[in-house]
Amino acid sequence: MKEDKLHQEIAIAGGLQNYLREFVYGGIDGAVTTFAVVAGAVGANLDPAIIIILGFANLLADGFSMSVGAYLSSKSDQENYDKHKAVEYWEVDNLPEKERHEIEEIYREKGFEGELLQQVVNVITADKDRWVNEMMKDELNMMEETKSPFKIGLATLISFIVIGFIPLMIYVYDFFQETTFNVFLWTSIFTGIAFAVVGWLKSFVNQTNIFKSIGETLALGFLAALVAYFVGDFLETLIR
């Protein structure tokens, strides 16, 4: 029983890891956009209650929009792959000599020749599914997406909302329990930590240097917030 439970936990962990990319980029967008909204509102000297309203409006609307976009994009890619695969099956059934010649050309370009080339072609064309998969991969340069479009959208939505809530967290706390410290300063600190953690995760997704990934994510977030802050400050002086 313990062994079965362990295997189940490993399978779940592996499944979650498949969607790490969506979680990371959803989290980056959530934190960046929400922190920019907060910074812009602070620059415009808006009331904390307004900041919370604007922040949650951005968090929910943009999170939903981004997750739907990720879902539709993945679903469209799958449908496009299936459409081309159906065409390849039709060509294998109705134009076998032409398709066999294309396999020969593909493997000739890879360096196969003579009897070995014919053996490879015979093995591939002996199985229709293998034949079509080779055509999809080597002729059309298309790989099948194994991840669920729904789970891609869900992972994006969850990370956008969870990570994107961090820039609002201190303001929400201050709204219910009045504080004496600098709310925006502590918001910036916690958001910076969130950027660092997401940047660290991004280094695993992209297989890049950890410190470079963290630095890029921090720079992106605070640059967006800086621009939003000064835009808010500038517009506030015009309105006065």
Side-chain angles (χ1 to χ4, degrees), residues 130-173:
R130 181 166 57 232
W131 190 351
V132 169
N133 288 334
E134 284 294 319
M135 298 301 292
M136 293 295 294
K137 179 167 62 77
D138 290 319
E139 182 190 27
L140 301 180
N141 296 315
M142 297 180 71
M143 298 293 291
E144 185 173 13
E145 176 61 82
T146 58
K147 293 189 287 188
S148 161
F150 174 77
K151 290 181 180 178
I152 286 175
L154 183 61
T156 302
L157 177 63
I158 291 173
S159 64
F160 192 101
I161 291 176
V162 171
I163 307 298
F165 174 71
I166 292 174
L168 293 172
M169 183 172 60
I170 304 299
Y171 281 93
V172 172
Y173 177 80

Side-chain angles (χ1 to χ4, degrees), residues 3-233:
E3 191 172 317
D4 291 340
K5 187 176 180 181
L6 178 61
H7 287 161
Q8 186 178 13
E9 289 175 352
I10 291 173
I12 292 172
L16 293 175
Q17 188 176 3
N18 289 336
Y19 298 91
L20 180 61
R21 180 182 183 84
E22 287 73 27
F23 184 88
V24 165
Y25 285 101
I28 289 174
D29 279 352
V32 168
T33 57
T34 308
F35 188 47
V37 167
V38 171
V42 171
N45 289 317
L46 297 181
D47 186 87
I50 302 299
I51 294 175
I52 292 172
I53 292 171
L54 292 176
F56 273 103
N58 167 80
L59 194 63
L60 297 176
D62 277 8
F64 179 75
S65 175
M66 186 177 177
S67 64
V68 168
Y71 165 78
L72 292 177
S73 176
S74 177
K75 190 169 184 292
S76 176
D77 287 343
Q78 278 195 359
E79 289 172 348
N80 186 51
Y81 181 90
D82 291 341
K83 179 185 72 176
H84 283 86
K85 192 169 187 177
V87 171
E88 288 299 327
Y89 269 112
W90 184 90
E91 290 181 346
V92 166
D93 286 333
N94 296 276
L95 304 168
E97 291 304 318
K98 174 179 174 292
E99 294 299 291
R100 180 185 173 90
H101 178 70
E102 288 178 357
I103 288 289
E104 286 183 6
E105 289 301 311
I106 288 170
Y107 277 86
R108 184 175 287 110
E109 289 179 3
K110 292 182 178 183
F112 291 85
E113 56 185 24
E115 185 178 345
L116 179 59
L117 174 61
Q118 294 307 313
Q119 288 176 351
V120 169
V121 172
N122 289 337
V123 169
I124 292 172
T125 57
D127 183 281
K128 187 188 295 186
D129 293 332
R130 181 166 57 232
W131 190 351
V132 169
N133 288 334
E134 284 294 319
M135 298 301 292
M136 293 295 294
K137 179 167 62 77
D138 290 319
E139 182 190 27
L140 301 180
N141 296 315
M142 297 180 71
M143 298 293 291
E144 185 173 13
E145 176 61 82
T146 58
K147 293 189 287 188
S148 161
F150 174 77
K151 290 181 180 178
I152 286 175
L154 183 61
T156 302
L157 177 63
I158 291 173
S159 64
F160 192 101
I161 291 176
V162 171
I163 307 298
F165 174 71
I166 292 174
L168 293 172
M169 183 172 60
I170 304 299
Y171 281 93
V172 172
Y173 177 80
D174 180 64
F175 182 79
F176 290 103
Q177 183 72 43
E178 190 173 345
T179 60
T180 56
F181 53 76
N182 187 319
V183 176
F184 183 63
L185 173 62
W186 280 99
T187 293
S188 300
I189 291 172
F190 277 106
T191 304
I193 294 171
F195 283 141
V197 171
V198 174
W200 172 67
L201 291 174
K202 184 162 72 75
S203 70
F204 292 100
V205 171
N206 295 339
Q207 296 295 302
T208 56
N209 180 272
I210 292 177
F211 297 106
K212 179 184 176 183
S213 182
I214 291 174
E216 287 175 347
T217 307
L218 283 168
L220 172 66
F222 283 105
L223 180 61
L226 193 65
V227 171
Y229 179 88
F230 284 109
V231 168
D233 182 60

